[in-house]
Amino acid sequence: MEIIAAVRVVVKSLLFVLLWSNGDGKDSEHSYVTCGSLVKLLNTRHDVRLHSHDVKYGSGSGQQSVTGVESADDANSYWQIRGKPKYPCQRGTAIKCGQSIRITHMKTGRNLHTHHFSSPLSNNQEVSAFGENGEGDDLDVWAVQCEGLHWERDEAVRFKHVGTDVFLSVTGEQYGHPIRGQREVHGMSSPNQHNWWRTMEGVFIQPSQEPLRHDEL
Amino acid sequence: MANKGMNLCRVCCLLLYVISAVLAGRDFYKILGVSKSASIRDIKKAYRKLALQLHPDRNPDDPKAQDKFADLGAAYEVLSDEEKRKQYDKYGEDGLKEGHHSSHNDIFSSFFGDFGFMFGGNRQQQDKNIPRGNDIVLDLEVTLEEVYSGNFVEVVRNKPIAKEAPGKRKCNCRQEMRTTQLGPGRFQMTQETVCDECPNVKLVNEERTLEVEIEQGVRDETEYPFIGEGEPHIDGEPGDLRFRIKVLKHPVFERRGDDLYTNVTISLVEALVGFEMDVIHLDGHKVHIVRDKITRPGARMWKKGEGLPNFDNINIRGSLIITFDVDFPQTQLDEQQKDGIRGLLKQDSVQKVYNGLQGY
C-alpha cells in the first residue's frame, strides 16, 4: 500500500512536470474550471452538493427538482459546464469570470434553470432542471461571478442568473419524504454568505493541442 | 598467419559491438515503434496501441510478456517526458539521472482506468452480487479535424476514494422478521432492521490524470470506458467513467460515414470557361481542382481517398464529394451586353415547362 502510494506520488509529479513542460507558453489549465468539464458543486455555507434527480416539484412549475445533498458519492450530483445557447465554448478552455454558461445535469440532460415561481419551502425563487438533451431555453443561462480572470477550481464563486438576476443559494430548509434531508436550492436576489459555491469532485478537461496540420504544396 | 589475425580482429570487433549494444541500454524508440522525431501524440498513440497488445493478461503463454510490457512502460515514461527524452537522446538509458523503476500500473491506468484490466474495456461479469458505484458518462465534443487526424484529451479526475477510518460502522443493513415469545404458546412476529459490523471507512478526494484518445475515424456516440473511475461504493466496487464522443458540426465539411461532402460556389464565368482552385482539407493539405469544361449548377466531383480514415482500418479512406453551385452576376446587363451574349453563346431559346417536383 505504501509503495503504491509513493509510486502514485512519483507518477503524479512526473505527469505534473509533463504538464508544465508541455505548456507551450500557455498557462497550465490544471487549476481552472474548463468548458466541457463535469463537476460537483458544493455550497460552502451549508456543505451540500448541487443535485437533481427524476423527481418533480409538487408545486410551482412542476418541473424537475434541484436540491442540495450531503452525500459525496452520488452520480446525480454531476453537472456539465457548457456554453450558452448558440455560443458553444471550446472544449478545455478555462471559463472566464463573468462568462455566461449553462450548467447541465449529467444524468437527466436538463439544464439548471430558474423562473418566476415560488420555491416550496422558503418562498424564494424556484430553481429547477429544464430541457431535453441539454437544450432548454434562455432562462438556462447563468453568469459565473468570481475574482480574477478565470474560474479557479478551489475558488468560491457565485452564480447569477441571466434573466432574473437572482443568485443560486441554499438557506438550509429541508425536505421530507421522499427526499428526506435534502436541502432546498433556490434563487435569492441579494449576494450573501448563502450563495458561495466551489467545485469538488469531477472530471476536469485540459486544453488539447491542435490536431496536426500538413501544409504541403 | 594473416588470416588468423583477421579473424581475431573480426571477433574482437563483434564482441565490442555486442558489448556496447548491451551497455547502451534499450532502444526506447524501437520498443514503441516510433521515429526519433515522433511527436508526443505519436508516442501516446503508439503506447496505447501496444499496451493493449502486450499486456501480460493477454499473452499468458509468452514467458517474456512481463519483460516486454515492462520495457514498454519504461519507454513511454522516458519518451513522454521532455526532460527525460532529451537526456535519453544524448546519453542513452544509462544517462538518465534517477532510476525510473516506477510501477507501470499508473501509466497504464491513466489510459485505461483503474480496476484491474478487462479487454475491450468491458467489465467482465465477475460477481453480480458485489454492489457497484454509479457510472459517469461525459459527453466529449470533438471537431471533425480531430476525427481526421486523431488527438488526445487529458483530463484530471478528482474522485472520492474509500479509506480506512478508526472505529466501526453499520453495513449490509436489511429487514428481518424476529419472533419473540410473549408467554406459553403466545408468539409475536416483528420486523427488525439488522446490520452487520464493518470496518469504518471515510471518503477522501484524490486526483489523477487520464488520457482519452480520439481515434482517427471515430464514430459519433462511441464510448471510451475507464474502468473503476466512476463513483465509489462504500460496500463494493467503484463504477466506471465513460467518455461518449460527440462530433460537432463543421462549417465546411459534412460527414456521411467515411465520406465528406462540401459545397463550392463558382462564378458564372468560371462555370462557363473553367477554373482551377484548391480546397483546404481538415489537416491543412490542399485538394487541387481543375475544370476546363462547362460546370453545371449542382454538378458533383468525386475525389477518392480525400474523405475520412476508416475507424477499423485507417489506411482506407472515404471520398470527398464536391457539389458546385453558380453565382450569377449581380448587376443587370445593358442592351449591348445582351446582344453580345446572344451572339457569343448561340443557344436557342428553350422555355420548357414541366413539373419539376415530381421528376417529370
Side-chain angles (χ1 to χ4, degrees):
Chain A
M1 272 299 154
E2 293 271 309
I3 303 172
I4 294 178
V7 158
R8 273 217 144 105
V9 171
V10 167
V11 178
K12 234 197 286 187
S13 33
L14 191 129
L15 287 165
F16 190 73
V17 168
L18 179 85
L19 271 169
W20 275 110
S21 56
N22 252 9
D24 282 337
K26 218 189 324 180
D27 235 299
S28 168
E29 309 270 18
H30 217 229
S31 55
Y32 299 127
V33 181
T34 56
C35 171
S37 295
L38 217 52
V39 301
K40 283 191 184 173
L41 293 166
L42 181 82
N43 181 288
T44 53
R45 174 74 180 80
H46 297 274
D47 219 26
V48 290
R49 285 167 174 72
L50 191 68
H51 182 92
S52 189
H53 39 211
D54 203 2
V55 174
K56 296 201 174 4
Y57 282 120
S59 61
S61 66
Q63 290 173 10
Q64 182 168 306
S65 58
V66 172
T67 61
V69 296
E70 289 173 355
S71 59
D73 59 356
D74 193 333
N76 263 327
S77 309
Y78 278 107
W79 300 81
Q80 190 172 34
I81 306 298
R82 299 163 66 225
K84 56 182 188 176
K86 300 199 189 81
Y87 291 93
C89 52
Q90 194 187 21
R91 185 194 75 214
T93 47
I95 303 292
K96 296 195 185 76
C97 291
Q99 186 172 342
S100 292
I101 56 171
R102 279 181 295 185
I103 302 173
T104 306
H105 187 235
M106 179 191 84
K107 279 238 157 152
T108 58
R110 298 199 160 108
N111 298 324
L112 193 67
H113 179 98
T114 187
H115 40 206
H116 291 303
F117 281 95
S118 283
S119 62
L121 302 180
S122 67
N123 261 328
N124 281 302
Q125 189 166 293
E126 182 196 90
V127 167
S128 64
F130 176 75
E132 293 298 322
N133 289 325
E135 298 305 316
D137 65 19
D138 292 328
L139 291 178
D140 297 343
V141 185
W142 301 77
V144 182
Q145 283 198 351
C146 47
E147 307 273 312
L149 284 170
H150 294 106
W151 178 6
E152 293 187 33
R153 282 177 51 191
D154 49 12
E155 190 187 353
V157 305
R158 288 197 172 102
F159 297 103
K160 187 171 186 194
H161 187 243
V162 175
T164 61
D165 289 335
V166 297
F167 292 91
L168 189 69
S169 316
V170 175
T171 42
E173 302 82 11
Q174 292 188 26
Y175 288 103
H177 181 75
I179 48 175
R180 186 173 299 281
Q182 296 188 18
R183 313 285 198 277
E184 185 193 81
V185 168
H186 48 242
M188 290 176 84
S189 42
S190 54
N192 51 40
Q193 48 166 327
H194 299 290
N195 27 58
W196 290 115
W197 300 82
R198 58 154 290 173
T199 62
M200 295 294 284
E201 301 75 19
V203 184
F204 298 90
I205 302 185
Q206 306 300 299
S208 289
Q209 290 183 324
E210 287 292 311
L212 292 164
R213 290 187 68 84
H214 298 293
D215 291 334
E216 292 139 35
L217 37 75
Chain B
M1 279 299 139
N3 249 359
K4 267 201 188 145
M6 286 276 280
N7 273 340
L8 197 61
C9 230
R10 278 206 202 105
V11 170
C12 273
C13 281
L14 196 65
L15 209 62
L16 218 65
Y17 173 73
V18 168
I19 291 172
S20 59
V22 167
L23 282 180
R26 298 171 279 190
D27 182 347
F28 287 153
Y29 291 98
K30 196 151 153 222
I31 291 173
L32 277 170
V34 297
S35 72
K36 290 226 161 40
S37 58
S39 69
I40 183 79
R41 180 156 348 116
D42 290 337
I43 289 171
K44 283 183 186 175
K45 192 174 173 142
Y47 171 80
R48 192 172 175 273
K49 194 171 102 183
L50 286 169
L52 277 173
Q53 287 174 9
L54 295 178
H55 194 280
D57 286 354
R58 198 170 222 196
N59 300 290
D61 303 326
D62 185 350
K64 294 213 199 96
Q66 279 290 353
D67 287 337
K68 282 191 205 162
F69 194 63
D71 284 345
L72 182 68
Y76 178 77
E77 195 191 322
V78 169
L79 295 186
S80 62
D81 178 309
E82 246 184 67
E83 274 305 311
K84 288 193 180 180
R85 186 177 179 180
K86 269 194 211 134
Q87 278 175 26
Y88 174 79
D89 286 344
K90 270 197 216 156
Y91 308 114
E93 188 177 349
D94 295 324
L96 293 167
K97 290 210 179 104
E98 294 289 294
H100 49 270
H101 302 303
S102 47
S103 149
H104 188 169
N105 280 331
D106 268 353
I107 298 175
F108 185 81
S109 55
S110 74
F111 281 86
F112 299 102
D114 211 2
F115 201 77
F117 184 70
M118 284 124 209
F119 286 98
N122 291 316
R123 211 169 250 276
Q124 281 169 3
Q125 302 299 356
Q126 282 177 331
D127 193 344
K128 293 183 186 140
N129 290 326
I130 297 182
R132 231 178 111 214
N134 296 145
D135 283 347
I136 300 175
V137 181
L138 194 158
D139 279 337
L140 194 67
E141 289 184 335
V142 306
T143 61
L144 216 52
E145 283 83 354
E146 290 177 308
V147 175
Y148 187 80
S149 307
N151 205 354
F152 269 90
V153 184
E154 215 173 78
V155 307
V156 173
R157 171 76 175 114
N158 180 305
K159 63 179 181 181
I161 295 193
K163 293 261 161 108
E164 283 173 17
K168 298 258 178 243
R169 66 183 170 101
K170 290 187 159 40
C171 61
N172 299 332
C173 292
R174 55 202 179 269
Q175 299 284 343
E176 277 185 5
M177 298 297 287
R178 280 281 150 89
T179 315
T180 42
Q181 189 168 32
L182 294 176
R186 281 165 62 217
F187 296 91
Q188 185 179 57
M189 296 259 309
T190 47
Q191 205 174 40
E192 238 178 61
T193 307
V194 169
C195 297
D196 293 338
E197 225 179 44
C198 290
N200 202 5
V201 290
K202 59 176 178 179
L203 291 176
V204 173
N205 282 8
E206 278 189 8
E207 251 178 46
R208 57 149 350 132
T209 303
L210 302 174
E211 299 271 357
V212 192
E213 183 176 6
I214 301 171
E215 292 173 284
Q216 285 177 281
V218 67
R219 298 181 188 119
D220 201 41
E221 306 279 328
T222 301
E223 287 191 359
Y224 287 93
F226 282 73
I227 307 294
E229 292 293 340
E231 288 300 88
H233 194 294
I234 286 201
D235 293 321
E237 294 178 352
D240 301 332
L241 168 61
R242 298 200 304 270
F243 292 92
R244 190 193 292 149
I245 301 289
K246 293 279 192 191
V247 184
L248 294 166
K249 281 194 298 197
H250 196 274
V252 173
F253 296 101
E254 173 75 5
R255 177 189 199 174
R256 299 261 171 94
D258 292 339
D259 293 332
L260 290 172
Y261 284 75
T262 191
N263 298 68
V264 174
T265 306
I266 52 177
S267 72
L268 180 57
V269 173
E270 288 169 321
L272 290 170
V273 307
F275 60 95
E276 197 174 338
M277 65 175 287
D278 287 322
V279 172
I280 312 247
H281 213 292
L282 291 165
D283 69 345
H285 84 270
K286 297 191 177 112
V287 179
H288 196 61
I289 300 173
V290 179
R291 258 319 262 185
D292 53 6
K293 299 205 184 90
I294 291 180
T295 310
R296 286 191 179 78
R300 283 181 160 190
M301 191 183 274
W302 282 70
K303 289 281 185 180
K304 277 196 141 90
E306 290 291 358
L308 291 172
N310 180 280
F311 180 70
D312 299 309
N313 179 354
I314 57 174
N315 293 317
I316 302 175
R317 276 171 199 252
S319 308
L320 172 65
I321 297 107
I322 308 168
T323 306
F324 292 96
D325 54 89
V326 179
D327 198 27
F328 274 60
Q330 302 291 347
T331 48
Q332 299 304 318
L333 302 169
D334 60 36
E335 274 312 311
Q336 199 184 18
Q337 287 169 312
K338 285 183 189 174
D339 282 329
I341 300 248
R342 281 188 204 101
L344 266 175
L345 290 174
K346 294 197 200 10
Q347 187 187 20
D348 290 331
S349 171
V350 176
Q351 298 182 5
K352 175 182 165 199
V353 185
Y354 66 105
N355 183 352
L357 295 171
Q358 292 292 349
Y360 281 95

